[in-house]
Amino acid sequence: MISVPGARALTLPEDAAQGPPEAFMIGTEFAHLHPAPDHSLHSVLPPDLASRVIETGWAEHHPVARRGLITSGAVMIYAPRDEEEAELVAQIVTAAFEYATNAPA
């Protein structure tokens, strides 16, 4: 809904979107994957986790979040380069899903 052409959004059915409003970018979208050749993704994390992911060098604040127009938990996560990094990115996206669904941590 708010990304470049070819991006693939991760959204939830309305009844599953039980997280706080700031867990979503738009509607029930909590992440989207950018198409080739980029393969980075935008996601929304709890602000404390977003800060940790940024500190570890795996993400940066979403450009719109830097301007204060969306939640500070919105981040751009770098594309993984191998299977180990793909597993780490999957864990980050899982955390975004749990935030969006209000799943117990």
Side-chain angles (χ1 to χ4, degrees), residues 65-77:
R66 282 194 293 259
R67 297 191 337 228
L69 300 175
I70 61 175
T71 178
S72 63
V75 295
M76 193 280 297
I77 302 165

Side-chain angles (χ1 to χ4, degrees), residues 16-101:
Q18 298 298 310
E22 55 272 7
F24 303 96
M25 288 184 265
I26 188 167
T28 63
E29 181 181 333
F30 64 93
H32 59 249
L33 175 66
H34 298 127
D38 187 293
H39 296 295
S40 65
L41 61 110
H42 284 130
S43 189
V44 182
L45 300 169
D48 61 328
L49 179 57
S51 294
R52 285 192 311 236
V53 171
I54 291 167
E55 288 170 8
T56 62
W58 264 103
E60 59 187 61
H61 284 294
H62 187 292
V64 179
R66 282 194 293 259
R67 297 191 337 228
L69 300 175
I70 61 175
T71 178
S72 63
V75 295
M76 193 280 297
I77 302 165
Y78 303 116
R81 297 168 291 188
D82 58 32
E83 285 190 39
E84 184 177 328
E85 291 182 355
E87 177 56 35
L88 178 64
V89 170
Q91 291 173 14
I92 295 169
V93 173
T94 298
F97 172 80
E98 291 171 348
Y99 186 39
T101 59

